[in-house]
Amino acid sequence: MVDMVNMPYALVFGSVTVLGLPLNAVSLWILLRRHSLKSPSAVFMVNLAISDLLLVISLPMRVYFYATGTWPLSATACVWIMILFHNNIRSSSIFITTICVDRLLAVVYPLRSRHLRTSSNASKAAALVWLLVVVVSIPESVDLTRFLRGNNESTCFEFNRPQRSGMAYFQPVLVFTMLVVNIVCTALVSWTLRTHLSDSARVSNKVNVMLIFVMNLVMFTVFFFPVSLVVLFDSWRPASTPLICLASVNCCLDPLLYYFSLDGFWARKEDVDTTLARVRVSDNNRWGQ
């Protein structure tokens, strides 16, 4: 039976699935095929694309639930689909912030940060992010399962927990912290591009650089932060489903971040490597190294 009340939610999640799956799959293919994992930005973007794909593959069951008003799977399946959504917000906020910090170092401290901005360090950081996400998921999944137990499974995605656990505050604090870091990075890069500090990198397209930081701030203020605050304010709970719908749209916009962040996103990996090599030679000649 079609649930007309919740049909708009089903349409939003369905649209995100239809757009997000091919966009992120193609982006991941391009990142791996043409950029490999030779730069820290590429490493973080690959992990961001994986995070978005994990979210997208969980959305069809949300479409079914909101279209029919019934939940055909177990309570455990419901919990893990909710966990995938929460983990996307957490991992995406961290990976977007690491991309932001990487761009900051590349623009403001291009020479002094070379030993830090390596694909090896980026891979280690990405592994730590996923480890953090998994560790946080364990007590959260236990908490969600405890409150779902004894309830009708058709209440999946719509139940209200009678009390907040300590884990409820982790996501808002994390997202707020990442937002502050993004604001600071945006301010520093904007100031550097305006004042042309002698130690800063020569940036050929300042509009693209600033667009990356603006997109990051939009991601946080529109998609990540509002939905993270729902658990803290009881008056916001009626708006939780619309905010979740809104937050899921972030996975459709991340491919734009890849396009503007990586020079020659569509170029072959060999061409990108040649360009980077020329830039390094130019910088070395410029700074006498």
Side-chain angles (χ1 to χ4, degrees), residues 68-283:
T68 64
T70 60
W71 180 249
L73 303 179
S74 65
T76 301
C78 173
V79 167
W80 281 106
I81 289 177
M82 296 176 70
I83 291 294
L84 284 175
F85 172 78
H86 294 162
N87 285 348
N88 172 258
I89 300 295
R90 295 160 186 163
S91 59
S92 292
S93 65
I94 298 176
F95 286 128
I96 287 176
T97 302
T98 55
I99 293 170
C100 185
V101 172
D102 178 70
R103 293 295 85 193
L104 166 71
L105 296 175
V107 172
V108 182
Y109 307 109
L111 298 179
R112 282 182 285 178
S113 64
R114 281 184 176 179
H115 68 287
L116 293 175
R117 297 182 60 249
T118 65
S119 58
S120 175
N121 287 340
S123 297
K124 294 175 183 177
L128 288 176
V129 172
W130 287 116
L131 178 61
L132 173 65
V133 167
V134 170
V135 169
V136 171
S137 296
I138 295 174
E140 184 179 36
S141 63
V142 172
D143 181 50
L144 289 171
T145 301
R146 183 170 64 250
F147 287 113
L148 270 178
R149 189 179 301 156
N151 291 332
N152 189 314
E153 292 175 4
S154 65
T155 60
C156 183
F157 308 131
E158 294 293 337
F159 71 94
N160 290 320
R161 282 175 286 178
Q163 62 183 5
R164 302 185 186 95
S165 65
M167 294 306 303
Y169 299 95
F170 174 80
Q171 183 168 312
V173 171
L174 173 67
V175 172
F176 178 75
T177 303
M178 296 297 103
L179 174 59
V180 171
V181 173
N182 276 266
I183 292 173
V184 172
C185 289
T186 302
L188 288 175
V189 170
S190 177
W191 178 66
T192 298
L193 295 179
R194 287 200 310 269
T195 57
H196 304 287
L197 296 180
S198 60
D199 191 33
S200 64
R202 291 174 294 178
V203 180
S204 58
N205 195 334
K206 296 180 181 180
V207 174
N208 273 13
V209 172
M210 289 310 304
L211 187 58
I212 296 168
F213 289 91
V214 171
M215 287 176 59
N216 288 347
L217 292 179
V218 170
M219 287 286 189
F220 276 89
T221 56
V222 176
F223 301 114
F224 298 157
F225 200 50
V227 74
S228 299
L229 294 178
V230 169
V231 296
L232 302 182
F233 302 101
D234 293 334
S235 59
W236 285 35
R237 289 193 177 185
S240 61
T241 303
L243 288 176
I244 290 173
C245 285
L246 180 64
S248 67
V249 177
N250 86 87
C251 68
C252 297
L253 299 182
D254 283 336
L256 291 177
L257 180 64
Y258 314 146
Y259 179 82
F260 289 109
S261 295
L262 289 178
D263 295 329
F265 178 70
W266 298 101
R268 293 181 306 166
K269 180 165 67 68
E270 293 81 2
D271 296 336
V272 175
D273 292 341
T274 300
T275 301
L276 291 175
R278 289 174 179 172
V279 171
R280 293 190 187 100
V281 171
S282 176
D283 284 343

